[in-house]
Amino acid sequence: MHPIRAFRTIALAEGTSFVILLFIAMPLKYLMGLPLAVRIVGSIHGILFLLYVARLVKLRAAYQWDNRFCFQAFIASILPFGTFVFDKYLREKETAAQR
C-alpha cells in the first residue's frame, strides 16, 4: 500500500472514531449514564489520533510537505468531519506522488 494511501486510511478511521465519540459515545455518557462508551471509543480514538500525527510527521519528511499543508492536516484532525474534507487534498498528493 502506498504510504499516502495508508495515511488516508488512518485519517478516515481517526475521523470516524472522532464522530462516533462526539455524537454517540458522549451522549451515551451524559444522557444515559454510560461512561464506558466514552472510555472505549475515546481510547480507540486516542490511539488513532497518535497514529495520524506520527504518520503525518513521517510523510512530511519523506515528501517534503510544507508547514502550511501539515498544519492544515493537523487542524483537520481536531475538527469534526475535518479529515473527511481534507481527504480530497490527500488524494491529490497521492496522485501526484504516484506519477
Side-chain angles (χ1 to χ4, degrees):
M1 181 181 288
H2 193 275
I4 298 175
R5 171 70 52 106
F7 179 60
R8 287 180 57 214
T9 302
I10 292 169
L12 294 175
E14 189 271 341
T16 301
S17 71
F18 190 36
V19 169
I20 291 170
L21 179 64
L22 290 177
F23 297 109
I24 296 174
M26 291 188 71
L28 284 174
K29 177 180 179 178
Y30 292 108
L31 298 176
M32 300 184 74
L34 297 170
L36 184 61
V38 169
R39 190 173 307 137
I40 293 169
V41 177
S43 296
I44 293 168
H45 172 67
I47 291 167
L48 288 169
F49 177 76
L50 292 175
L51 286 172
Y52 179 92
V53 172
R55 184 61 66 127
L56 177 61
V57 169
K58 186 175 181 179
L59 289 176
R60 185 201 185 291
Y63 292 100
Q64 286 90 36
W65 288 351
D66 62 7
N67 289 335
R68 182 178 180 171
F69 183 80
C70 291
F71 181 72
Q72 290 170 340
F74 180 75
I75 294 300
S77 73
I78 59 175
L79 295 175
F81 304 102
T83 56
F84 304 117
V85 174
F86 195 71
D87 188 59
K88 171 187 172 186
Y89 303 104
L90 290 175
R91 273 187 273 136
E92 291 172 2
K93 292 281 190 184
E94 182 181 12
T95 302
Q98 289 178 343
R99 292 182 189 164

